[in-house]
Amino acid sequence: MTRTPIAKRAENAARCNMPSYAEAVANFSWENARKQLDGLPGGGLNIAYEAIDRHVAHGRGGVRALRWLSADGRVVDYTYDDLRRQTNRFANVLRKIGVAKGERVYSLLGRAPELHIAALGALKAGAAFCPMFSAFGPEPIRSRMEIGEARLLVTNAALYRKKVEAWRAELPSLRHVILIDGADDPANGVHDYRRLMAEVSEEGEIAATGPQDFALLHFTSGTTGKPKGVVHVHEAVVAHHITGFYALDLRPGDIFWCTADPGWVTGMSYGVIAPLTNGATLLVDEAEFDADRWRRTLQDQKVNVWYTAPTAIRVLMRAGAEAWKGCDLSALRLLASVGEPLNPEAVEWSVEAFGKPFHDNWWQTETGGIMIANFPSMEVRPGSMGKPLPGIEAAIVERSGDSVRVVDKPMAMGELALRPGWPSMMRAYLHEDARYRKCFVGGWYLTGDLAMRDSDGYFWFVGRADDLIKSAGHLVGPFEVESALMEHPAVAEAAVIGVPDPLGGEIIKAYVVTKTGLAHDEALQRELLGHGRKRLGAAIAPKTIVFRENLPKTRSGKMMRRLLKARELGLPEGDLSTLESDER
Ligand code: ATP
Ligand code: MG
C-alpha cells in the first residue's frame, strides 16, 4: 500500500503555523498552549469567551466571524462583535427563563447561525450544550434528550411539530422549547426566539465557569453500536485552539469551511469553536451536499482551508478530476479530511484535481479534538493518518488481561492507545461509568481502533477492532482491501467484511458501488476479483464481490460494516437509530 510520499516545498512549509514538527514537539507544553488563550477577565475559563469576546477585547470586533450561505442563495455576515452581542442575548434569555449552571441545552437545527448563537450563548450562561443532527427521527432525538436530561431545546416549528411535540410531555426534565421561527405559547413552554431575544439586553456577564465544568455533550456516531453520550469540559477549548492552529493551520482572517454538521463533534469542535478561537471566518452552508454547489462555494467564497470527510471526497471523485478544471481555487491553501480512513487513491486524486493532497487526520468524539494529523508542513504519505499532535503520546499496544504491552516494532498491528491527560479528553460516558473505566488500561486510553506505526513515526489505520477479519491465518483490516478495490477505475466505494468459512477463519466479502453507468455483470465481478488477487495476494483478496447501489452508513457518513455483517449472518441488526438512509 506504500505510495510515493507527497513532498512539501520548503518555502511553503516555512509559512505554516508549525514549520517544523520536531521543533513543535520539543517545545510543546499544555501550559503554554493554555497561555495562547486569555481566560475569563475575572478568572476561570469559558469556551465562548475565547471564541468570541476575546477578539472583541483585543480590538478585532469588526472582523467577520461567520458567513452564512442560506439554501435559497442569501449571504449573511456576522462580525465577532455581532456574535458577542447575539450570544450575550441568548445567555440572558436562558438566565431569564431559569436555566441553571450545568443544565443541558439541546439544539435540533439545520446549519443556521441561530445554532451557533445558541451553542455559544448557552456556554456563556454556564449551561452544557448538546447539538443534535436535524435529520434524526423522533426516537434518536428522544433517547438523546432523555440520556442528557434536556432542560431546554432550541429548534424550529417544523422540526418541533414533526419530531418532538408528540412525546414532549413524557420528558419531564424538558421545561422550555424555543422556536427560532415559530409561534409563541409560553403557557405551554413554547417560546418565540425573536421575542425572547428582543426582550433582553445585549450586554451581560459570562458565567464564571472553570476549566473542569461540563460544557459539551456529544453523542458518538453509532458506527459500532448504540451511541454513547460523551462529556467534555470548558478546558477542551485549549485543545480545539491549538489543534486548529497546528493541524488545520488556521490563521486570523482565513475563510474556513468545515463541511461537518454541528450536530456532530467535528462540526462543533472545528465547525464552530476552533476557527473562532483562531480568529478565522467560518463559512456555514445551509444546503445539503451537492458537488456543483461545493465547487462554486470553494471558488466564489475563496475558501482558504477546507475540512471535509472521505464519504464526500469519494462522491466528488466519481465525477473525475476534470470536473474541477476551470475552477479558480487559488485561495485554497489546505485540504483536510477526517471521520473515516482516507483511501490513498483519494489523496492522489486530490493532487490531480487540486494540485494539493488531502491531509488526513484522526480523532474520535471521545478525544474531543484532533490527535493524529498530516501536518501541512510535513510530507504526506497517502494512506497514513500522520503523526501525533505535539503534547499527545500515541502508541500501538497489545492488550493482555489487565495490562497492555507497547509494540515498538515498525508496522506491527495493534490497538491505537493514547496517554490520557490532554484538555479535550472526555470526562465521562454519561451514565455509563463502567464502560468509561474500561477504556483505560495500564495508564493508556484504548481507542478501539487498530493501527500500525512506521519507523518514521507515521500512523497507519488498519480498522476498528470490531471489524478485523481473520482470513487464512492472516489478520486483515477492511481498509486495506477496500483501498485496493478503490484503485480499480470502475469502483466508487467499497465495504469489506469477513464471513465465517466452514473450513475455519473467515472469507472476505466485498460490497462494491460502481461508478455511474457501469453494468453490474459477471465480467466486472471477475475483473474485480482478479484485481484484488493481483493487488493483495490470494490470502487476503475478496472471495466474493456483490454490487450495491448504496452502502449502509451512519448519518455522519461512516460505513456501517456491522450492519452488512449482521445481515449476512442473519443476526440481530442492533441499534439502527443512526442509519443514514431508511433502508430498514
Ligand atoms: P461509535 O463509537 O458510536 O461506534 P464512531 O466511533 O464512528 O461511533 P466517532 O467518534 O464519530 O464515532 O468516530 C470516531 C471513529 O472514526 C474513530 O475511532 C475511527 O474509527 C474513525 N476515524 C475517524 N477519523 C479517522 C481517520 N482519519 N482514519 C480512520 N478512521 C478514522
Ligand atoms: Mg467510537
Side-chain angles (χ1 to χ4, degrees), residues 149-166:
E149 293 153 282
R151 174 64 79 208
L152 182 142
L153 172 70
V154 190
T155 183
N156 64 35
L159 289 170
Y160 178 62
R161 250 178 248 122
K162 210 166 130 201
K163 302 185 178 187
V164 179
E165 196 171 20

Side-chain angles (χ1 to χ4, degrees), residues 394-416:
I396 303 297
V397 305
E398 217 170 61
R399 294 193 199 214
S400 60
D402 286 347
S403 61
V404 295
R405 187 178 69 81
V406 173
V407 181
D408 281 324
K409 196 168 147 236
M411 294 314 257
M413 189 204 298
E415 188 163 354
L416 177 61

Side-chain angles (χ1 to χ4, degrees), residues 358-412:
F358 264 105
H359 292 66
D360 187 23
N361 58 59
W362 177 96
W363 59 290
Q364 311 177 301
T365 309
E366 289 86 342
T367 70
I370 299 170
M371 295 283 111
I372 296 180
N374 284 282
F375 296 97
S377 57
M378 277 176 9
E379 77 174 22
V380 172
R381 300 191 175 176
S384 162
M385 321 191 275
K387 294 188 181 186
L389 259 289
I392 298 298
E393 188 189 348
I396 303 297
V397 305
E398 217 170 61
R399 294 193 199 214
S400 60
D402 286 347
S403 61
V404 295
R405 187 178 69 81
V406 173
V407 181
D408 281 324
K409 196 168 147 236
M411 294 314 257

Side-chain angles (χ1 to χ4, degrees), residues 89-426:
R89 279 187 195 274
F90 193 79
N92 288 336
V93 164
L94 295 187
R95 286 192 192 103
K96 190 170 167 191
I97 60 180
V99 173
K101 191 172 171 195
E103 288 188 337
R104 264 73 71 197
V105 170
Y106 278 63
S107 68
L108 180 69
L109 286 171
R111 288 177 294 278
E114 287 85 355
L115 169 49
H116 299 72
I117 291 164
L120 294 162
L123 294 172
K124 279 189 170 181
F129 188 75
C130 179
M132 290 184 294
F133 189 44
S134 61
F136 280 145
E139 254 326 293
I141 291 169
R142 180 179 175 154
S143 74
R144 281 165 177 73
M145 289 175 66
E146 275 171 0
I147 292 171
E149 293 153 282
R151 174 64 79 208
L152 182 142
L153 172 70
V154 190
T155 183
N156 64 35
L159 289 170
Y160 178 62
R161 250 178 248 122
K162 210 166 130 201
K163 302 185 178 187
V164 179
E165 196 171 20
W167 52 265
R168 176 185 173 173
E170 293 158 39
L171 185 61
S173 70
L174 183 65
R175 295 263 181 77
H176 307 284
V177 173
I178 297 181
L179 301 181
I180 64 167
D181 60 348
D184 215 9
D185 185 7
N188 287 311
V190 176
H191 311 272
D192 176 7
Y193 175 86
R194 286 165 294 199
R195 172 181 61 78
L196 290 174
M197 292 286 274
E199 280 172 4
V200 293
S201 161
E202 61 182 24
E203 298 300 330
E205 288 282 302
I206 295 181
T209 47
Q212 303 309 325
D213 283 340
F214 188 5
L216 295 163
L217 174 62
H218 283 300
F219 285 85
T220 59
S221 293
T223 313
T224 55
K226 197 173 177 315
K228 296 148 274 192
V230 176
V231 170
H232 289 289
V233 297
H234 276 277
E235 77 164 356
V237 69
V238 178
H240 296 146
H241 180 75
I242 200 74
T243 54
F245 182 79
Y246 280 149
L248 300 177
D249 203 39
L250 292 172
R251 305 172 193 174
D254 270 350
I255 311 288
F256 172 65
W257 190 24
C258 168
T259 62
D261 190 277
W264 305 109
V265 71
T266 304
M268 187 53 63
S269 301
Y270 297 99
V272 181
I273 300 168
L276 293 178
T277 65
N278 281 285
T281 300
L282 63 99
L283 198 61
V284 178
D285 185 9
E286 185 184 34
E288 293 310 316
F289 174 83
D290 174 86
D292 281 333
R293 185 177 171 103
W294 277 32
R295 275 189 275 275
R296 277 199 312 277
T297 301
L298 285 163
Q299 169 180 276
D300 298 350
Q301 298 303 326
K302 302 187 170 46
V303 172
N304 302 116
V305 180
W306 179 30
Y307 195 25
T308 189
T311 181
I313 298 168
R314 288 192 293 257
V315 175
L316 296 175
M317 285 168 73
R318 290 184 202 185
E322 310 79 64
W324 296 84
K325 293 267 142 50
C327 235
D328 176 7
L329 300 182
S330 48
L332 192 58
R333 194 173 75 238
L334 177 68
L335 303 84
S337 164
V338 72
E340 279 199 298
L342 185 64
N343 314 93
E345 203 62 23
V347 178
E348 286 165 359
W349 175 83
S350 86
V351 174
E352 201 187 324
F354 310 110
K356 294 182 176 72
F358 264 105
H359 292 66
D360 187 23
N361 58 59
W362 177 96
W363 59 290
Q364 311 177 301
T365 309
E366 289 86 342
T367 70
I370 299 170
M371 295 283 111
I372 296 180
N374 284 282
F375 296 97
S377 57
M378 277 176 9
E379 77 174 22
V380 172
R381 300 191 175 176
S384 162
M385 321 191 275
K387 294 188 181 186
L389 259 289
I392 298 298
E393 188 189 348
I396 303 297
V397 305
E398 217 170 61
R399 294 193 199 214
S400 60
D402 286 347
S403 61
V404 295
R405 187 178 69 81
V406 173
V407 181
D408 281 324
K409 196 168 147 236
M411 294 314 257
M413 189 204 298
E415 188 163 354
L416 177 61
L418 303 167
R419 187 77 79 187
W422 66 94
S424 65
M425 179 52 176
M426 68 165 162

